[in-house]
Amino acid sequence: MMHNDLEDIERLKKLEEIILELKEFAEAGAIIIVEGRKDEGSLRYLGINGDFQFASQQPLLDLTDSLSKTGKDIVLLTDWDKRGSLVACKIIKYLSAYGIVPNTEIRLRLRSLSKKRIKDIESLNNYVNKLRYEIHGIMRF
């Protein structure tokens, strides 16, 4: 087995753990913030069925105001390109005014595991499937 194969096996294992963690957050009622419908579709394809809110469909001040009234945990999953990072910073800033700290750690872990390979949530399902296929010879679990 080559060094890259071992890296990919470890990377897939960590990605699978994050997917499981996201499923648990979603099942517990957390709101998952993504930028758009394609991001939601990618996560749903990976089995994450939860309450998705879109950062692109209303002003961020309105979004954070409505989020502040839910009392639910918030998982911030914007893309890790320049625009996604800007959106994430604004959402964090606006939510902090309500004393709310969203979960950004999952986004940071996804970014570090996939940087240079993908830059957005929309591509996550294809990336995970590619790794699954290369390592196990199957597309879905």
Side-chain angles (χ1 to χ4, degrees), residues 39-52 140:
D39 299 322
E40 176 191 21
S42 176
L43 294 171
R44 286 197 188 280
Y45 182 88
L46 291 168
I48 300 156
N49 296 305
D51 183 357
F52 290 93
R140 282 183 108 164

Side-chain angles (χ1 to χ4, degrees), residues 6-111:
L6 289 172
E7 274 183 27
D8 283 347
I9 290 168
E10 189 59 28
R11 179 172 282 111
L12 178 61
K13 180 177 175 262
K14 288 179 179 175
L15 286 168
E16 299 280 6
E17 288 169 2
I18 292 171
I19 291 166
L20 186 62
E21 195 176 337
L22 277 169
K23 284 180 186 178
E24 290 169 358
F25 269 108
E27 288 168 9
I31 298 171
I32 301 171
I33 307 297
V34 294
E35 288 181 55
R37 295 220 174 270
K38 289 180 180 177
D39 299 322
E40 176 191 21
S42 176
L43 294 171
R44 286 197 188 280
Y45 182 88
L46 291 168
I48 300 156
N49 296 305
D51 183 357
F52 290 93
Q53 297 282 321
F54 304 108
S56 62
Q57 293 188 341
Q58 60 183 310
L60 293 179
L61 279 172
D62 294 346
L63 173 67
T64 52
D65 183 56
S66 66
L67 289 171
S68 72
K69 295 171 180 157
T70 66
K72 295 182 177 182
D73 287 334
I74 298 165
V75 179
L76 190 55
L77 278 185
T78 57
D79 300 340
W80 35 99
D81 58 8
K82 193 177 273 188
R83 183 179 178 280
S85 296
L86 184 66
V87 169
C89 285
K90 284 183 178 181
I91 291 173
I92 291 164
K93 178 182 167 190
Y94 297 159
L95 284 174
S96 71
Y98 295 100
I100 298 169
V101 179
N103 178 318
T104 56
E105 188 244 344
I106 291 174
R107 177 181 176 267
L108 295 174
R109 285 175 25 221
L110 283 172
R111 185 180 75 187

